């Protein structure tokens, strides 16, 4: 990417039987200032465009850089389906297609062919039923890139990161170790600095227990683990606030004091950001050697094939990917 060429965004359609292909078609029909490369099956994209009443100019991607893109024009990195999709009915025979799409996007980013990848929603159950062990986008990209990663949910008003993700609540306390928190905070601080162009990132860290443990009366994780770790990292110059009680950390008066929040577990913070900005919230994977953003919703199988799915989250993910690509050091 140069000052005179457009960022090359790889966009994956996700589950072929879901709304992802239609969302990609709507993104391609927009005037977004990006060189869009749809990593998907050519005929799948054409059928999705037809379902939305759109006509796209689909061109094979030759890897070249372009300075302009007309609305409705999209380049394609063709990855064939295993079998023709049926809207709303995921088929395990397409599991390999979904994995090959993600691999092509990740490998293209690491090779410098793409400036970022924006991912559409997938149906994890269908991939596993196809005989491929799969736990999610984040884990797939982390393994592909051999990287330690952190999940961030970002909206225009708030950035939330997670120390633990999809764990049963009963197992969370044992998972909150000093080494986990240190690794996570270092990844978050580095990403805020290099990707979000925040020179001195301020991170608010939530306590695990109600009222951040209330001085040990509601649990000792804060006293024994979180506070000593934060004090040590502050000694290195990191700007860390907390541990804060989760019930007051998100009030408007607090938000000017931090650039991102580190929550201890999934449901401690995600309901806040999703209730405020569900259609503007973007999933970002921090710690990868490339930029990855994603929609923050599922495959919406009941809407697939109708052309009525709301593309707002994919548009938000694409816009954030563009912003991050522009901030990324060359």
């Amino acid at each position: 990417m140069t000052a005179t060429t457009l960022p090359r965004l790889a966009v994956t359609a996700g589950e072929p039987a879901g709304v992802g292909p239609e969302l990609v078609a709507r993104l391609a029909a927009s005037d977004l200032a990006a060189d869009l490369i749809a990593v998907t099956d050519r005929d799948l994209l054409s059928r999705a465009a037809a379902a939305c009443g759109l006509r796209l100019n689909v061109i094979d991607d030759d890897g070249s850089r372009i300075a302009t893109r007309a609305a409705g024009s999209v380049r394609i990195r063709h990855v064939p389906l295993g079998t023709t999709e049926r809207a709303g009915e995921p088929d395990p025979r397409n599991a390999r297609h979904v994995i090959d799409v993600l691999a092509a996007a990740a490998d293209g980013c690491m090779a410098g062919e793409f400036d970022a990848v924006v991912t559409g929603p997938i149906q994890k159950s269908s991939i596993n039923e196809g005989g491929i062990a799969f736990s999610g986008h984040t884990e797939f990209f982390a393994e592909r890139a051999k990287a330690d990663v952190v999940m961030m949910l970002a909206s225009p008003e708030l950035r939330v990161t997670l120390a633990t993700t999809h764990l049963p609540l009963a197992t969370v306390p044992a998972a909150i170790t000093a080494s986990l928190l240190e690794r996570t905070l270092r990844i978050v601080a580095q990403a805020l600095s290099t990707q979000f162009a925040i020179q001195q990132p301020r991170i608010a860290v939530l306590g695990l227990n109600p009222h951040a443990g209330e001085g040990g009366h509601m649990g000792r994780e804060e006293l024994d683990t979180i506070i000593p770790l934060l004090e040590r990292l502050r000694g290195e110059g990191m700007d860390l606030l907390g541990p804060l009680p989760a019930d007051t950390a998100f009030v408007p008066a607090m938000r000017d004091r931090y650039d991102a929040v580190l929550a201890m577990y999934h449901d401690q913070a995600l309901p806040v950001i999703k209730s405020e900005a569900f259609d503007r919230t973007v999933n970002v994977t921090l710690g990868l050697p490339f930029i990855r953003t994603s929609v923050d919703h599922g495959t919406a199988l009941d809407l697939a094939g109708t052309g009525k799915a709301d593309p707002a989250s994919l548009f938000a993910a694409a816009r954030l990917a563009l912003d991050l690509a522009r901030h990324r050091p060359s």
Side-chain angles (χ1 to χ4, degrees):
M1 181 176 64
T2 68
T4 58
T5 60
L6 295 174
R8 283 172 52 85
L9 295 190
V11 186
T12 66
E15 167 55 50
V19 296
E22 295 164 52
L23 302 182
V24 174
R26 292 203 178 278
L27 184 66
S30 77
D31 60 357
L32 185 74
D35 182 7
L36 299 177
I37 298 91
V39 186
T40 186
D41 183 283
R42 176 189 293 273
D43 294 332
L44 170 63
L45 182 61
S46 295
R47 288 189 289 269
C52 297
L54 301 172
R55 296 187 64 180
L56 301 179
N57 179 26
V58 181
I59 307 162
D60 287 329
D61 177 39
D62 62 3
S64 62
R65 296 275 175 174
I66 60 175
T68 61
R69 180 188 69 90
S73 177
V74 61
R75 298 208 267 184
I76 193 159
R77 187 70 61 93
H78 177 67
V79 179
L81 286 170
T83 187
T84 302
E85 81 290 349
R86 296 184 62 179
E89 300 178 21
D91 192 322
R93 288 176 293 179
N94 280 324
R96 175 50 56 187
H97 161 82
V98 176
I99 295 299
D100 288 348
V101 161
L102 298 181
D107 293 351
C109 283
M110 289 188 286
E113 299 171 12
F114 308 129
D115 297 307
V117 57
V118 182
T119 56
I122 52 176
Q123 191 79 13
K124 288 185 281 188
S125 59
S126 184
I127 297 171
N128 283 283
E129 288 167 8
I132 301 172
F134 185 82
S135 55
H137 274 116
T138 302
E139 294 82 2
F140 177 88
F141 286 135
E143 173 61 27
R144 195 80 179 180
K146 305 300 184 211
D148 286 330
V149 301
V150 173
M151 181 187 293
M152 171 184 279
L153 277 295
S155 74
E157 299 83 14
L158 186 63
R159 302 182 189 97
V160 172
T161 59
L162 299 176
T164 64
T165 53
H166 301 118
L167 292 182
L169 192 56
T171 68
V172 169
I176 301 299
T177 63
S179 60
L180 170 73
L181 294 179
E182 180 175 358
R183 178 190 71 84
T184 303
L185 284 165
R186 291 191 186 281
I187 292 172
V188 173
Q190 177 73 7
L192 289 172
S193 176
T194 59
Q195 294 190 15
F196 289 84
I198 300 171
Q199 291 187 353
Q200 185 63 34
R202 303 166 302 163
I203 304 171
V205 180
L206 302 186
L208 173 66
N209 297 296
H211 301 174
E214 191 114 6
H217 295 288
M218 292 191 181
R220 293 196 54 87
E221 286 83 1
E222 288 78 12
L223 293 177
D224 295 343
T225 302
I226 301 174
I227 291 174
L229 185 274
L230 297 187
E231 289 177 347
R232 178 163 63 83
L233 294 182
R234 287 190 191 106
E236 297 180 12
M238 293 182 70
D239 193 344
L240 304 172
L241 181 66
L244 300 178
D247 61 348
T248 56
F250 299 103
V251 300
M254 289 294 297
R255 294 194 184 185
D256 288 340
R257 300 177 60 187
Y258 54 74
D259 301 300
V261 173
L262 175 64
M264 294 296 110
Y265 55 93
H266 186 280
D267 283 6
Q268 189 178 43
L270 266 58
V272 176
I273 190 169
K274 290 190 177 186
S275 65
E276 287 188 356
F278 183 75
D279 61 346
R280 294 175 292 122
T281 298
V282 178
N283 188 326
V284 188
T285 305
L286 308 182
L288 292 172
F290 55 87
I291 294 164
R292 181 258 169 162
T293 66
S294 179
V295 297
D296 189 34
H297 61 70
T299 53
L301 298 176
D302 57 324
L303 290 176
T306 68
K308 296 179 180 179
D310 185 353
S313 186
L314 186 66
F315 275 67
R319 286 192 292 267
L320 181 56
L322 288 177
D323 287 342
L324 298 181
R326 294 187 183 104
H327 293 152
R328 192 175 180 86
S330 57

